[in-house]
């Protein structure tokens, strides 16, 4: 049962344009969402996150949008740069109120390629 | 400083060998994690330590044995592994369990394990 899904295995974008990476989830208990970027042979690097009480969070070129009713989030990168080429993972966490939980559930990842 | 350091970066071991992976963080984080990542797959949680105590074991085979000697160190002892255990092993840490705003998981670069 895949609770976090990234349905696009890959995305190709021209430098300077917008990259939009999508993520869907099924578990309504998820209340915190993160995006990680991963280069080959390296560990995931934290990019940006959003709590379920918000619908948008922005950090520089990166903006994450959350649509709770649709159980959908997206990462926008504007403008895209060749150095952004990597695998992007969406991840979600459920905080079982009163019980600390340390589990991140990851999507399958989307390979972003930004062409010069 | 959001650094999680893992050693060794690469390890080749036979099925009868005993080896260990090591992880260190000096961010004062009290939650530490082991994840396993196979090629083209998302990271999968193996273990969570909270305040040096094992709090989550995701039904990992006993040939993987975690150890948390102190709040900065996390080891993964390996014994009698199978070739299918070959993967990237990621260590991560966060201030505490309960992933939410202000408490993000940071990953190390990983240890590439090959079992022959």
């Amino acid at each position: 049962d895949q609770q976090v899904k990234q349905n696009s295995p890959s995305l190709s974008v021209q430098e300077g344009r917008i990259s939009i990476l999508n993520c869907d989830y099924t578990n309504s208990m998820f209340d915190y969402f993160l995006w990680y970027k991963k280069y080959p042979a390296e560990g995931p690097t934290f990019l940006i996150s959003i709590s379920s009480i918000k619908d948008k969070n922005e950090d520089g070129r990166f903006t994450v949008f959350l649509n709770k009713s649709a159980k959908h989030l997206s990462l926008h990168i504007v403008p895209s740069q060749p150095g952004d080429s990597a695998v992007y993972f969406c991840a979600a966490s459920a905080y079982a109120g009163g019980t600390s939980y340390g589990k991140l559930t990851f999507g399958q990842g989307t390979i972003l390629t930004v062409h010069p | 400083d959001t650094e999680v350091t893992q050693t060794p970066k690469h390890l080749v071991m036979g099925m009868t060998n005993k080896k260990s992976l090591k992880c260190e963080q000096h961010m004062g984080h009290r939650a530490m994690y082991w994840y396993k990542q196979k090629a083209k797959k998302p990271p999968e949680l193996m273990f969570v330590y909270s305040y040096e105590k094992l709090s989550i074991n995701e039904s990992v085979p006993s040939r993987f044995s975690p150890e948390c000697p102190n709040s900065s160190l996390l080891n993964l002892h390996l014994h009698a592994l199978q070739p299918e255990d070959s993967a990237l092993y990621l260590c991560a840490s966060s201030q505490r369990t309960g992933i939410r705003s202000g408490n993000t998981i940071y990953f190390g670069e990983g240890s590439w394990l090959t079992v022959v």
Side-chain angles (χ1 to χ4, degrees):
Chain A
D1 174 28
Q2 205 175 330
Q3 298 184 54
V4 178
K5 299 178 187 178
Q6 294 175 254
N7 292 318
S8 298
S10 62
L11 175 67
S12 184
V13 170
Q14 206 66 29
E15 181 178 7
R17 306 295 287 265
I18 184 171
S19 295
I20 300 177
L21 298 112
N22 293 303
C23 179
D24 297 293
Y25 62 97
T26 57
N27 187 344
S28 56
M29 296 300 291
F30 287 146
D31 60 359
Y32 190 58
F33 304 89
L34 307 91
W35 283 95
Y36 285 86
K37 171 181 175 180
K38 187 178 184 301
Y39 293 117
E42 292 185 11
T45 302
F46 170 71
L47 269 181
I48 192 169
S49 63
I50 189 166
S51 167
S52 59
I53 61 172
K54 295 187 174 183
D55 54 19
K56 177 182 174 181
N57 189 26
E58 199 170 348
D59 184 1
R61 297 186 297 115
F62 302 94
T63 303
V64 56
F65 295 91
L66 175 63
N67 183 333
K68 279 184 62 180
S69 60
K71 293 192 176 68
H72 176 83
L73 62 154
S74 60
L75 174 68
H76 293 211
I77 306 174
V78 183
S80 302
Q81 299 172 354
D84 296 330
S85 298
V87 180
Y88 288 77
F89 287 100
C90 167
S93 174
Y95 186 78
T99 302
S100 288
Y101 226 58
K103 182 171 181 174
L104 279 183
T105 302
F106 284 85
Q108 298 292 313
T110 297
I111 302 170
L112 173 65
T113 304
V114 180
H115 299 282
Chain B
D1 180 15
T2 55
E3 191 169 287
V4 177
T5 305
Q6 291 186 242
T7 56
K9 293 218 178 326
H10 297 273
L11 177 63
V12 179
M13 61 185 290
M15 289 188 283
T16 58
N17 291 159
K18 281 187 182 179
K19 297 285 184 183
S20 298
L21 304 180
K22 297 186 183 303
C23 175
E24 191 168 2
Q25 56 86 16
H26 294 290
M27 296 177 277
H29 290 176
R30 301 313 297 270
M32 295 187 76
Y33 311 79
W34 282 113
Y35 280 79
K36 172 181 175 179
Q37 186 172 22
K38 302 279 273 184
K40 299 185 179 180
K41 297 285 187 184
E44 294 179 0
L45 181 67
M46 299 174 74
F47 302 104
V48 180
Y49 271 82
S50 178
Y51 290 85
E52 295 108 70
K53 287 187 169 30
L54 183 65
S55 64
I56 295 180
N57 177 340
E58 290 285 297
S59 303
V60 179
S62 60
R63 58 185 184 269
F64 294 93
S65 175
E67 178 199 18
C68 190
N70 60 54
S71 60
S72 300
L73 295 174
L74 185 66
N75 299 322
L76 186 62
H77 302 297
L78 314 169
H79 175 52
L81 295 194
Q82 304 296 311
E84 58 265 30
D85 296 322
S86 299
L88 177 66
Y89 288 84
L90 293 162
C91 176
S93 72
S94 61
Q95 284 186 350
R96 55 197 178 279
T97 55
I99 306 305
R100 56 203 298 107
S101 183
N103 187 39
T104 299
I105 290 184
Y106 296 96
F107 286 85
E109 293 200 348
S111 292
W112 285 97
L113 173 66
T114 303
V115 182
V116 297

